[in-house]
Amino acid sequence: MVFRKKKREEEAINPTPLVDVMFNLLIFIIITAQYTNIQALKVNLPKSQVGTQIEKTEKIVIGVTQQEEIFLNERPVDMSGLEAALAPLGKKQIQPAVFIQADEGSTTGKLVTIMDLVSKAGLNKISIETKK
């Protein structure tokens, strides 16, 4: 009788599935990171019964806190700085959409002043954000 020795194959871990999983995870993280919430400021938005979704375009977010501090894309600005920042944006061929996040405790006068500045800069896509 001839006995053959069993070949003991070294069991190596195949890294291909691991690389595939990590690559898919990386893609998932990159894609979901682009859908961050616009509501980064601590602004208590007023409620609305009826609302519409705005199409995805270039966005400018102007925030007004309860203390009537103004933020342009999460950076604090004053009224003259806001006007200076909006002026060149109104001259673009494809105008960005302007989202105003005004705290429900802020005054209507401040909101109207900001809307006037946006219109004066030539930006026509103005939206006031609310929550349902």
Side-chain angles (χ1 to χ4, degrees):
M1 253 194 225
V2 178
F3 291 104
R4 285 193 278 168
K5 288 184 178 179
K6 289 185 179 180
K7 276 188 175 179
R8 182 172 178 228
E9 296 179 20
E10 290 188 29
E11 294 181 19
I13 297 175
N14 187 0
T16 306
L18 180 64
V19 171
D20 289 344
V21 168
M22 294 306 283
F23 184 67
N24 285 330
L25 224 116
L26 180 66
I27 290 173
F28 175 76
I29 290 171
I30 289 172
I31 290 174
T32 56
Q34 294 178 357
Y35 296 106
T36 57
N37 192 359
I38 294 177
Q39 181 73 27
L41 290 175
K42 298 296 179 200
V43 176
N44 187 16
L45 296 175
K47 292 184 181 177
S48 170
Q49 298 297 324
V50 180
T52 58
Q53 292 286 348
I54 303 295
E55 62 190 53
K56 299 276 183 183
T57 59
E58 184 182 350
K59 300 176 199 170
I60 298 171
V61 180
I62 300 173
V64 182
T65 63
Q66 188 172 6
Q67 293 78 23
E68 298 192 353
E69 299 167 326
I70 303 170
F71 291 85
L72 177 63
N73 292 334
E74 299 182 20
R75 284 174 288 194
V77 293
D78 58 354
M79 290 302 262
S80 60
L82 180 63
E83 187 174 8
L86 293 177
L89 297 174
K91 297 174 184 170
K92 285 186 172 182
Q93 185 173 3
I94 299 175
Q95 292 187 348
V98 179
F99 295 96
I100 301 175
Q101 297 176 340
D103 192 286
E104 64 183 352
S106 63
T107 63
T108 308
K110 185 66 97 174
L111 179 63
V112 170
T113 305
I114 290 172
M115 289 177 70
D116 284 344
L117 280 178
V118 172
S119 294
K120 187 175 157 185
L123 298 166
N124 299 323
K125 299 177 186 175
I126 303 171
S127 175
I128 299 174
E129 285 196 39
T130 59
K131 62 182 174 183
K132 272 193 166 178

